[in-house]
């Protein structure tokens, strides 16, 4: 029932959505593991007022074209042998961290 209590929309084309958000001055923050990332614990360094958080799935991640167009690539630090989280877990971790720091 949570989808009944928040405003949301489905978009077929993520590239178009990222373009629209960027033109509106919204910083694109992709949650992904990549070469140059900002660790989640350092997001208080971000200076923009509005963010779009882009999550991928635990197998395929976020499309490289979206990672390349992102203002920030944010990584959730992980230790041990597993290097992926279920999307619901990753979303909860990131949204809570944003909430407490922003």
């Amino acid at each position: 029932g949570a989808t009944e209590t928040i405003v949301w929309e489905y978009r077929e084309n993520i590239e178009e959505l990222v373009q629209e958000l960027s033109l509106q001055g919204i910083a694109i923050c992709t949650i992904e593991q990549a070469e140059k990332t900002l660790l989640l614990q350092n997001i208080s360094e971000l200076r923009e007022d509005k963010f779009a958080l882009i999550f991928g799935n635990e197998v395929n991640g976020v499309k490289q074209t979206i990672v390349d167009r992102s203002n920030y690539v944010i990584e959730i630090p992980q230790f041990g042998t597993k290097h992926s989280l279920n999307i619901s877990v990753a979303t909860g971790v990131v949204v809570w961290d944003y909430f407490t720091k922003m």
Side-chain angles (χ1 to χ4, degrees):
T3 57
E4 305 302 321
T5 62
I6 60 171
V7 177
W8 69 278
E9 68 178 84
Y10 172 78
R11 298 294 286 273
E12 184 78 28
N13 189 317
I14 188 73
E15 285 90 357
E16 287 178 7
L17 176 59
V18 166
Q19 175 71 20
E20 288 175 30
L21 294 171
S22 294
L23 290 173
Q24 295 173 31
I26 297 172
I28 305 302
C29 298
T30 297
I31 313 306
E32 187 58 89
Q33 296 167 333
E35 287 184 27
K36 295 182 179 179
T37 61
L38 176 67
L39 294 177
L40 182 61
Q41 64 262 32
N42 298 326
I43 63 168
S44 56
E45 298 173 8
L46 305 181
R47 298 292 171 231
E48 288 82 358
D49 292 329
K50 295 182 181 181
F51 305 93
L53 302 175
I54 309 294
F55 295 87
N57 69 46
E58 61 190 278
V59 175
N60 299 319
V62 177
K63 293 169 83 173
Q64 188 61 48
T65 56
I66 301 303
V67 172
D68 293 342
R69 296 188 64 183
S70 299
N71 299 91
Y72 304 99
V73 179
I74 298 169
E75 183 173 347
I76 301 170
Q78 298 175 58
F79 304 97
T81 58
K82 287 292 287 175
H83 296 287
S84 66
L85 296 171
N86 176 283
I87 186 66
S88 64
V89 173
T91 302
V93 167
V94 171
V95 169
W96 178 251
D97 210 51
Y98 265 77
F99 176 77
T100 60
K101 290 180 178 158
M102 304 296 174

